[in-house]
Amino acid sequence: MRVLGIETSCDETGVAIYDTGKGLLGHALFSQVDLHAEYGGVVPELASRDHVRKLLPLVREVMRRTDTHPRDLDGIAYTAGPGLVGALMVGACAGRALAYGWGLPAVAVHHMEGHLLAPMLEERPPSFPFVALLVSGGHTQLVDVRGLGDYRLMGESLDDAAGEAFDKAAKMLDLDYPGGPRLAALAEKGDPERFTFPRPMTDRPGLDFSFSGLKTYTLTTVRQYAQADGLPDEQTCADIAAAFQEAVVDTLVIKCRRAIRVSGHKTLVVAGGVSANKLLRTRLESRLREEGAGVYYPRHEFCTDNGAMIAYAGCLRLQAGERSGLAVEVRPRWPMMELDGSLS
Ligand code: ATP
Ligand code: MG
Ligand code: FE
């Protein structure tokens, strides 16, 4: 089975073709980072319009590069949510229309299921069951994954997502959008021991997270050391970045260990943009080894949004017999636990 995947939920246009026999044949991504940078965040209407401009050229490019003719395809998968409504509409309408025109089945994919399954595109894929830590710009969740679509929420952030907290802390340090990776780079020059930031909700049982207090703590520290230009000196900024990153990573690691113990599973899958974070990866690997658990990630470029994860998730769902109707429906808010687990 060969599936074309389309991702347009936020600010990246992603297209990929996955083949069950040959694996990932090709993928292409257009990031709108430069477009939104001057506004310090994603402007939804600009995002939608740019998806309109970029999507079909990317589809053509991936089809050509992988030497795929429409008749070689067995289905089209598109992200139907969660995400920005206008951005989702572009990918969903295009995916649905191409499928109709080419006489192919279409399937609506949940963006977070795409993230969750992305590590399965790697050479050493994880197998069910496992605990998944989804850490992205909009989500921080621990999920008990028993099979395709069989997801139980173990815990989640009660306020900001981890990626969102990274982006906001980065803004306080005057780093450009998107701040997460920039803050992580700055943290490498900092002394992680100069400041100790709180580890929210780790002193009580449970698997929920809260990152908004950490954000306030960061702001207070920035203000405390601010000079005439409103920012602390360079070294202090780096030290704050390091303290912030330590606190987020430590909090995530503590909860992952707990989740592994509670679930009884021996595998942790980490996905979403923040799973690209180097410190998070090294810490999780060493601390989970102590629990006898293995840790799996997507390759770096598939941590953040991409078409490959949508092609792959869509392929599994098409194989399981799922089809979406002719009406184009998107769900800007769509809890992943509502997905059908009877497929696996
Ligand atoms: P969602 O998937 O929840 O809808 P999203 O699609 O916007 O949200 P992703 O594209 O998965 O999120 O990830 C983007 C987030 O990951 C941003 O918040 C970004 O700052 C963060 N991020 C990316 N790389 C790193 C890194 N190295 N360290 C920390 N955060 C990072
Ligand atoms: Mg993005
Ligand atoms: Fe995402």
Side-chain angles (χ1 to χ4, degrees):
M1 178 180 275
R2 192 177 284 196
V3 177
L4 172 74
I6 293 174
E7 156 64 36
T8 64
S9 71
C10 189
D11 60 345
E12 355 261 350
T13 318
V15 173
I17 295 178
Y18 181 81
D19 182 287
T20 42
K22 297 177 178 163
L24 187 66
L25 294 184
H27 61 98
L29 187 83
F30 182 83
S31 172
Q32 304 176 355
V33 161
D34 297 340
L35 180 69
H36 302 289
E38 71 174 290
Y39 304 97
V42 179
V43 183
E45 189 49 32
L46 293 183
S48 315
R49 289 185 206 184
D50 211 48
H51 286 307
V52 170
R53 278 191 287 267
K54 300 299 180 339
L55 182 56
L56 288 178
L58 274 186
V59 170
R60 272 188 215 106
E61 183 189 325
V62 174
M63 297 280 284
R64 183 180 46 76
R65 269 205 265 136
T66 60
D67 202 17
T68 300
H69 191 271
R71 67 172 168 268
D72 304 325
L73 291 171
D74 300 289
I76 296 184
Y78 55 85
T79 304
L84 302 169
V85 65
L88 289 166
M89 281 304 287
V90 177
C93 287
R96 193 68 204 78
L98 285 175
Y100 182 72
W102 291 342
L104 297 170
V107 67
V109 172
H110 191 288
H111 179 79
M112 296 314 292
E113 182 173 68
H115 276 303
L116 179 119
L117 299 172
M120 292 189 168
L121 287 165
E122 299 312 306
E123 230 164 73
R124 196 182 59 103
S127 45
F128 300 124
F130 52 76
V131 171
L133 171 69
L134 297 176
V135 265
S136 57
H139 295 78
T140 304
Q141 296 184 325
L142 278 162
V143 186
D144 184 344
V145 179
R146 314 267 173 98
L148 179 68
D150 191 352
Y151 310 133
R152 273 155 245 221
L153 186 66
M154 302 180 80
E156 66 181 333
S157 178
L158 305 177
D159 41 59
D160 293 356
E164 189 183 355
F166 260 96
D167 294 335
K168 287 178 177 167
K171 226 174 195 174
M172 294 171 198
L173 294 168
D174 202 31
L175 300 173
D176 286 339
Y177 165 85
R182 291 195 164 91
L183 185 136
L186 180 63
E188 286 191 9
K189 296 177 206 148
D191 169 8
E193 283 171 10
R194 176 165 165 207
F195 301 110
T196 305
F197 283 18
R199 272 64 169 157
M201 298 183 70
T202 50
D203 55 354
R204 60 184 108 160
L207 294 167
D208 286 335
F209 304 88
S210 163
F211 292 108
S212 77
L214 192 53
K215 197 176 62 187
T216 313
Y217 199 93
T218 308
L219 187 62
T220 311
T221 314
V222 169
R223 288 202 176 135
Q224 192 184 339
Y225 290 86
Q227 301 171 313
D229 65 350
L231 276 179
D233 64 76
E234 233 173 273
Q235 187 57 49
T236 303
C237 283
D239 295 342
I240 291 173
F244 174 85
Q245 179 174 249
E246 279 287 332
V248 174
V249 166
D250 202 28
T251 305
L252 292 172
V253 171
I254 290 169
K255 300 279 164 141
C256 284
R257 277 174 70 129
R258 244 182 235 175
I260 281 290
R261 278 184 206 158
V262 170
S263 70
H265 303 327
K266 286 292 169 210
T267 305
L268 177 75
V269 164
V270 194
V274 184
S275 67
N277 187 276
K278 264 193 255 159
L279 186 71
L280 179 65
R281 288 182 176 223
T282 32
R283 285 286 166 77
L284 278 174
E285 266 155 37
S286 65
R287 301 298 298 279
L288 277 127
R289 201 177 303 126
E290 297 163 18
E291 302 288 322
V295 189
Y296 295 78
Y297 316 92
R299 76 193 72 164
H300 206 273
E301 63 181 325
F302 294 162
C303 288
T304 45
D305 297 347
N306 63 85
M309 66 185 195
I310 302 305
Y312 181 70
C315 185
L316 293 192
R317 290 210 160 253
L318 283 166
Q319 278 185 312
E322 196 170 308
R323 302 281 183 273
S324 55
L326 280 179
V328 180
E329 283 171 86
V330 297
R331 287 187 66 182
R333 289 171 184 276
W334 184 6
M336 197 177 66
M337 316 308 142
E338 284 179 15
L339 289 177
D340 191 351
S342 60
L343 291 171
S344 58

